[in-house]
Amino acid sequence: MTFSIAARCPRTGQLGVGALTARPAVGKLVAHVHPGGAVATQATPNPFLAYDALPLLGEGRSPQDVLTELLARDPGREVRQVGMVDRQGRSHAFTGSRTRDWAGHHTGPGYAVQGNRLAGPETLAEIVRVFEDSRELDLAERLVLAIEAGEEAGGDRHGARSATATVIGDQPYPLWDVRVDDTEHPARELRRLHGVFQEEVLPTVQGMPTRDDPMGEAARQALG
């Protein structure tokens, strides 16, 4: 009941997940991002496919090896759908044989796109096209564009209710974390909140402490 994209920006190294679904709270259930990689787990989600994958990706193991290992010990794998990308831009995805039609995935350098219960394969094709054609933009903007494109191309056959775009930079906390949990037009609301976040929240995040700067620019300015 979802489409998503796990992605890496080759220009900045940022990692993120964008997703849209017909159920509430897609950001909580589907999107998982860590400095070592990004994972989307959906259809009948298994969060351990993300929680267990991210440390392994951080160790340098490939998404294909990690996903193969984790699925082998998941008895519910045929109703799962997973896409992942690591900090090198390697990607891999899986669609179980008993996920709801139309279901499938597409991977390329720096991204994994997957969806189930979609209008058809054209939804994923349009997400891929828009994502690949927007390389000059920041990753958060590309994820929002991909979500908008997927919805315009048919999206979920049962409509949409929640959406998310989350991005990690070079710190363990999110650079972007924009969520729409329950609304009639989640892609449209995500676009609005993206603008709010960019103007009001992103500068605050960028001024927070980092590993290399324990004070942070915001505290430095406050202290004079």
Side-chain angles (χ1 to χ4, degrees), residues 147-220:
I147 291 167
E148 291 172 329
E151 186 172 48
E152 290 172 7
D156 190 313
R157 291 186 290 107
H158 289 222
R161 196 166 165 192
S162 66
T164 188
T166 182
V167 172
I168 275 188
D170 56 0
Q171 301 302 313
Y173 52 78
L175 182 63
W176 290 81
D177 191 359
V178 186
R179 300 185 182 191
V180 178
D181 284 335
D182 184 17
T183 191
E184 187 176 353
H185 301 289
R188 184 187 308 169
E189 180 66 3
L190 188 71
R191 167 59 66 187
R192 185 188 72 81
L193 290 176
H194 173 273
V196 172
F197 195 102
Q198 184 170 37
E199 182 176 346
E200 299 185 32
V201 182
L202 186 61
T204 299
V205 176
Q206 291 172 327
M208 289 166 56
T210 69
R211 294 299 188 195
D212 295 331
D213 181 9
M215 177 177 285
E217 185 58 29
R220 187 172 295 108

